[in-house]
Amino acid sequence: MEAVQNNEAAPRKRVFSAIKPTGNPTLGNYVGAMKYWGGMADEYDCLYAVADLHAITVNIEPKELRENSKRLFALLIAIGIDPDRNVLFMQSHVSAHAELGWLLNNYTMFGEARRMTQFKEKSKKAPDNINVGLFDYPVLMAADILLYQADIVPVGDDQMQHVELCRTIAQRFNNKYSPTFKMPEGRVPKSGARIYSLADPTAKMGKSDGDGSGSVFILDKPEDIMRKFKRAVTDCDSKIKASKDKPGITNLLNIYASLCGITVAAAEKEFENSDYAAFKTRVGEAAAETLRPIREKYEALRRDDVALAELMKAGAERASRIAHRTLEKVYKKIGFVRV
């Protein structure tokens, strides 16, 4: 088995995750999940793909897609996904994804694909762009997973239905021919605190926040981070205490506690004699301090597009070796002539 690290006595499980290059990752994305990704290589063989093939199921300008893809690839390295310890690649650089996606269409029933709730939801949001790719998205996702014989697929709750479809397709193919695909397990990762908008603490901190005032983006400059936190919504009370009645203060306490690795109770104790202005300034400083090394590493990577492209090429070569072994088995079992 091609792997980042191998131990024949105790084979490590393989993790596959693909991230679409859409939107702009936020502090909420980092605190909630992304900061844990780099450390997964201590326990698993990990493959991460920038899912640019999936990105074109919605309207996106070519220039924006290229920039988003390079930005996300560099950002994944900057947050701690070491290309030497993980397989990190661009999905479109490995042709086996599109090839297996087409093959698996023929082992997916129309009714199964039609039941996918994400297709229904996204179709409502963009009724003028209900394309076949959007409908077929879960089959390509199944190909992404099955190509690498993944044991574990970290996904959000909204993607678990797609993993179940992947398992159905794999089982159908295995039953028709012979065991070919490993049955993957969808797993909702344990995450950090849920982070809300600084402008509206009842809404999620989003990657596509309108004017950006409520979202702190991972690549924001320190001065922008401080400005956003100083303008963060609080309430008319003066107590720095977590409470359902104080969503703004509770959100800021959760952010601070997550960034500093302490409990919310400890954060409350630290600021029990502070006023709102001093509190918001300190939370902003903690965010800026946490994100600064990530931004600096990202900027260093982006200063050399040739070196970044070499990392993409190396990752794609490693991924392709694994993917094409699976793809060749599939072609032969279906009955295609191989030369």
Side-chain angles (χ1 to χ4, degrees):
M1 181 179 77
E2 171 101 4
V4 182
Q5 295 181 19
N6 249 330
N7 184 337
E8 292 183 6
R12 305 203 316 167
K13 289 190 174 182
R14 181 173 288 173
V15 171
F16 175 83
S17 185
I19 306 99
K20 282 195 302 183
T22 54
N24 195 353
T26 68
L27 176 66
N29 298 133
Y30 178 73
V31 167
M34 294 176 79
K35 74 175 183 178
Y36 303 106
W37 292 351
M40 290 183 71
D42 294 336
E43 185 176 355
Y44 303 103
D45 290 329
C46 300
L47 297 100
Y48 294 96
V50 174
D52 49 349
L53 293 177
H54 287 290
I56 63 171
T57 59
V58 298
N59 283 318
I60 185 167
E61 291 296 320
K63 183 178 179 181
E64 181 183 357
L65 177 59
R66 275 191 293 271
E67 174 56 29
N68 284 359
S69 297
K70 289 193 288 185
R71 179 177 64 199
L72 180 57
F73 189 90
L75 181 58
L76 291 175
I77 298 173
I79 65 168
I81 296 178
D82 184 344
D84 291 329
R85 301 184 68 213
N86 304 269
V87 180
L88 175 62
F89 64 100
M90 300 290 296
Q91 182 190 26
S92 66
H93 291 178
V94 180
S95 61
H97 287 260
E99 293 180 63
L100 185 60
W102 169 252
L103 298 177
L104 295 184
N105 279 327
N106 299 280
Y107 302 89
T108 308
M109 299 302 105
F110 184 78
E112 293 168 343
R114 189 170 54 186
R115 286 195 291 272
M116 297 296 104
T117 55
Q118 276 219 339
F119 171 71
K120 298 173 184 177
E121 292 169 0
K122 290 183 178 181
S123 296
K124 289 178 183 177
K125 292 179 180 179
D128 59 337
N129 189 36
I130 305 175
N131 60 72
V132 176
L134 185 64
F135 180 75
D136 202 34
Y137 180 111
V139 183
L140 178 58
M141 180 174 167
D144 298 337
I145 297 164
L146 297 177
L147 274 172
Y148 300 101
Q149 306 293 353
D151 296 285
I152 299 167
V153 187
V155 291
D157 289 326
D158 60 342
Q159 292 283 326
M160 282 298 289
Q161 188 185 33
H162 292 174
V163 178
E164 288 306 312
L165 177 63
C166 172
R167 290 171 58 87
T168 298
I169 296 168
Q171 190 66 61
R172 181 174 291 126
F173 192 95
N174 289 348
N175 289 342
K176 183 176 177 66
Y177 300 102
S178 62
T180 306
F181 299 121
K182 187 173 286 187
M183 298 296 287
E185 174 194 344
R187 187 177 294 180
V188 178
K190 293 179 181 179
S191 62
R194 187 176 179 85
I195 304 302
Y196 294 89
S197 167
L198 300 184
D200 178 6
T202 64
K204 181 182 175 182
M205 184 178 283
K207 292 197 297 182
S208 302
D209 182 27
D211 62 2
S213 62
S215 293
V216 174
F217 301 109
I218 293 176
L219 297 175
D220 274 349
K221 295 179 180 179
E223 58 267 28
D224 294 324
I225 294 172
M226 294 306 300
R227 174 176 50 80
K228 291 177 182 181
F229 273 102
K230 287 177 180 179
R231 295 178 180 176
V233 169
T234 49
D235 53 58
C236 57
D237 193 352
S238 60
K239 294 181 180 179
I240 299 174
K241 197 81 175 172
S243 165
K244 290 181 180 179
D245 300 325
K246 299 167 70 67
I249 290 297
T250 301
N251 188 40
L252 292 173
L253 282 167
N254 276 325
I255 291 172
Y256 186 79
S258 297
L259 293 173
C260 297
I262 61 175
T263 65
V264 170
E268 289 175 331
K269 180 70 175 176
E270 182 175 339
F271 294 105
E272 62 182 350
N273 297 318
S274 296
D275 58 30
Y276 280 177
F279 172 52
K280 290 196 287 186
T281 295
R282 184 64 196 104
V283 180
E285 288 171 347
E289 289 163 8
T290 298
L291 298 179
R292 180 182 286 106
I294 296 173
R295 191 187 70 258
E296 289 174 350
K297 186 169 184 178
Y298 167 84
E299 289 174 348
L301 287 163
R302 292 307 309 274
R303 280 195 290 270
D304 191 344
D305 266 6
V306 173
L308 190 67
E310 286 299 316
L311 290 172
M312 290 181 182
K313 183 179 178 182
E317 288 173 351
R318 295 173 71 192
S320 291
R321 285 196 293 270
I322 304 170
H324 278 90
R325 280 203 292 269
T326 299
L327 185 63
E328 278 302 309
K329 290 179 183 177
V330 172
Y331 273 132
K332 289 176 182 177
K333 291 188 178 186
I334 290 174
F336 289 109
V337 176
R338 312 307 290 160
V339 294

